[in-house]
Amino acid sequence: MKVLLVLALSSLCATAMANEAPTDAAQQQPVVEEYTYSTHLDIAKVVSMSDVPNVCEVVPAKMEYDDSKGQRHILRYSIMGNGCTN
């Protein structure tokens, strides 16, 4: 009987610890920063950039990069689409 109780409690603890792992990973995600003309950019390495759509208007874009200290950042900015002919 005691063995069953210990097994039940240990499986409950393992499940609780498994549920905590995604929240730790979610907290490590960088906050999306909005670009302004006064934003100081410290870009050491560009990790990824969003694709620019084929439209003739201003569209939002994102860039993920590492700074000189190795911290990951996500920057949201506006860019002109690739669909303009002139």
Side-chain angles (χ1 to χ4, degrees), residues 41-47 65-71:
L41 297 176
D42 177 17
I43 301 172
K45 177 184 173 186
V46 175
V47 177
Y65 67 93
D66 294 336
D67 65 12
S68 60
K69 297 176 184 174
Q71 294 178 339

Side-chain angles (χ1 to χ4, degrees), residues 38-51:
S38 63
T39 302
H40 173 69
L41 297 176
D42 177 17
I43 301 172
K45 177 184 173 186
V46 175
V47 177
S48 67
M49 294 181 70
S50 61
D51 293 329

Side-chain angles (χ1 to χ4, degrees), residues 3-75:
V3 173
L4 290 175
L5 181 62
V6 169
L7 286 174
L9 288 176
S10 64
S11 66
L12 181 64
C13 291
T15 304
M17 287 190 304
N19 287 338
E20 289 180 13
T23 58
D24 291 341
Q27 290 175 355
Q28 293 175 358
Q29 287 284 41
V31 176
V32 176
E33 304 167 21
E34 291 290 332
Y35 174 78
T36 63
Y37 289 115
S38 63
T39 302
H40 173 69
L41 297 176
D42 177 17
I43 301 172
K45 177 184 173 186
V46 175
V47 177
S48 67
M49 294 181 70
S50 61
D51 293 329
V52 179
N54 216 7
V55 296
C56 189
E57 60 186 47
V58 177
V59 293
K62 284 185 183 178
M63 176 176 60
E64 189 170 346
Y65 67 93
D66 294 336
D67 65 12
S68 60
K69 297 176 184 174
Q71 294 178 339
R72 182 75 40 105
H73 298 269
I74 298 176
L75 185 68

